[in-house]
DNA sequence: ATTGTCGCGCAACTGAGTTGCAAAATCTAT
DNA sequence: ATAGATTTTGCAACTCAGTTGCGCGACAAT
C-alpha cells in the first residue's frame, strides 16, 4: 500500500510527504467519502489543520480526489476512481448519502441520467445527490430479530 | 404586492413584520434564488444579519422557501412555487446555476429524472443541480456584435 | 394598566477556512 | 552523500458565515 501511495503521488508530480501519504492512504482504505473533519480525526491528530486543507486542495487540483456537494452544506471528498492514473475527468456518476449511517458513497455504476433542459439552456455539468438508506443499513434492518431472555437484538 | 405578502405571512401563521415583508417581497420580485448575502445587500442594509438568518430559517420551516445546494458550498434560497399556499411539499424539480451571470434558478418544468439504484439501496430524496449557461446569457452571446467608432458592443 | 408572547437588534461567541512567514523536509544535480 | 534550490509544513493571526443569549420594544389578550 505504501508503495502504491508513493506511486500515485509521484505520478502526479507531488513531493512524497508524510501527510500526503497518510491522507491518501486513508482515502484508499476507506470505501466512501471523507469530510475535512473526518480526515483530521482519523489521521490521528498528527497534522496541522492547515496542512490537511492544503493537501486536500492539492489532491483536488491534481484530480486525485473530487468534491461531493451535500444538502447540509458541508464538503466531502472522495477518490476519483480512474483518476489516480489519468488526468482530470468529468465525473459522470452519482452520489449517495445514507441518512442512517451518514456515509457518502460514489455510485460509480449509476450514470448521471439525461436531463432535457428548456430551450436556450446549455449544460456543462450535472450533479446528482441521492439521500436514502444504503445497502448495508437496509440489510441490517431486514435481518431477523433475535429474542433472548427478554432482549431484542438485531444482528 | 404588499397585500399579497401580508397574506402569505398570515396564511403561515407568522406575525407580519417589516423584515419579513421586505425579505418575502424580495423573493417574490426576483426570478431565481438568493443567497443570504444577496438578501442583506438588497434589503438595503436595514436589518440585522441575525434577523435575516432567523427570517430565512422561519421561512424554510414554514415551507415558504427552500434551500438549494451548490457545489461551491454556499446555500441559496428560493421560493417554493406551490408552497406559499399549501404546506410542505417535496421538491421534484431541478436546479440550474448559470456560470456566466451566476444566478440560480428552479427549473420547475423539468422533473427530476428516474434513477435506478443498485440492489439494496433505497432513496428518499434526489437533488439535481445542473451548471451551464442560462437562456438569457445564451441569447446575449448569440446577439450580433455592433461595431461603432472602435467600440465593440454586445446588445 | 398588567401580563404574556413574539420578533428584533446588539454583543459575544464558535468553527471553518485562509494567509503570511519562518522553519523543516524533500528533491535535484553534482 | 551533500549543497543548494524548491516545496511543504506548522504556527499564529485573521476573516467570514452562522449561532446563541439576552434585554428591549411592539403588540394582543385580560
Amino acid at each position: 500500500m505504501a508503495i502504491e501511495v508513493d506511486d500515485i503521488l509521484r505520478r502526479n508530480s507531488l513531493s512524497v510527504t508524510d501527510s500526503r501519504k497518510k491522507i491518501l492512504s486513508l482515502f484508499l482504505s476507506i470505501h466512501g467519502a471523507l469530510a475535512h473533519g473526518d480526515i483530521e480525526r482519523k489521521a490521528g491528530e498528527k497534522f496541522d489543520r492547515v496542512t490537511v486543507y492544503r493537501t486536500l486542495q492539492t489532491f483536488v487540483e491534481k484530480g486525485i480526489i473530487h468534491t461531493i456537494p451535500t444538502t447540509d452544506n458541508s464538503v466531502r471528498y472522495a477518490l476519483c476512481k480512474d483518476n489516480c492514473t489519468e488526468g482530470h475527468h468529468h465525473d459522470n456518476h452519482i452520489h449517495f448519502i445514507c441518512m442512517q449511517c451518514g456515509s457518502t458513497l460514489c455510485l460509480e455504476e449509476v450514470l448521471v441520467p439525461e436531463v432535457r433542459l428548456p430551450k436556450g439552456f446549455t449544460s456543462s455539468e450535472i450533479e446528482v445527490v441521492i439521500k436514502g438508506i444504503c445497502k448495508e443499513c437496509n440489510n441490517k434492518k431486514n435481518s431477523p430479530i433475535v429474542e433472548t431472555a427478554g432482549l431484542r437484538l438485531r444482528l
Side-chain angles (χ1 to χ4, degrees), chain A:
Chain A
M1 175 75 104
I3 299 161
E4 194 189 346
V5 168
D6 288 24
D7 230 51
I8 295 171
L9 290 173
R10 264 192 268 272
R11 261 207 301 275
N12 286 281
S13 47
L14 291 173
S15 319
V16 179
T17 66
D18 284 352
S19 45
R20 285 178 182 164
K21 281 199 284 189
K22 181 75 188 182
I23 292 175
L24 184 50
S25 58
L26 253 181
F27 275 110
L28 285 171
S29 69
I30 281 172
H31 189 67
L34 294 169
H36 173 270
D38 300 327
I39 295 164
E40 252 191 293
R41 252 167 274 126
K42 302 203 179 184
E45 324 277 333
K46 279 162 53 180
F47 305 110
D48 196 87
R49 284 178 340 108
V50 181
T51 303
V52 177
Y53 279 117
R54 287 199 267 231
T55 305
L56 288 173
Q57 196 177 307
T58 309
F59 284 0
V60 170
E61 278 164 16
K62 291 292 180 177
I64 299 173
I65 58 177
H66 64 277
T67 59
I68 304 173
T70 55
T71 348
D72 66 324
N73 206 34
S74 67
V75 193
R76 295 173 194 220
Y77 303 87
L79 273 182
C80 298
K81 258 269 168 71
D82 309 319
N83 244 32
C84 302
T85 46
E86 322 224 337
H88 268 287
H89 74 157
H90 287 104
D91 289 334
N92 61 343
H93 63 269
I94 70 167
H95 293 118
F96 187 91
I97 300 177
C98 179
M99 296 170 72
Q100 190 158 326
C101 64
S103 66
T104 304
L105 305 168
C106 299
L107 297 184
E108 312 267 355
E109 63 273 33
V110 182
L111 293 184
V112 167
E114 286 284 323
V115 177
R116 188 164 301 171
L117 291 175
K119 229 182 157 66
F121 287 81
T122 47
S123 75
S124 63
E125 215 181 314
I126 305 183
E127 280 285 354
V128 179
V129 180
I130 302 188
K131 283 191 188 174
I133 308 290
C134 75
K135 200 173 174 176
E136 297 194 7
C137 288
N138 267 330
N139 279 343
K140 274 186 210 148
K141 199 163 49 183
N142 295 330
S143 69
I145 294 177
V146 184
E147 302 218 20
T148 322
L151 280 173
R152 301 183 76 234
L153 301 170
R154 242 191 240 294
L155 297 184

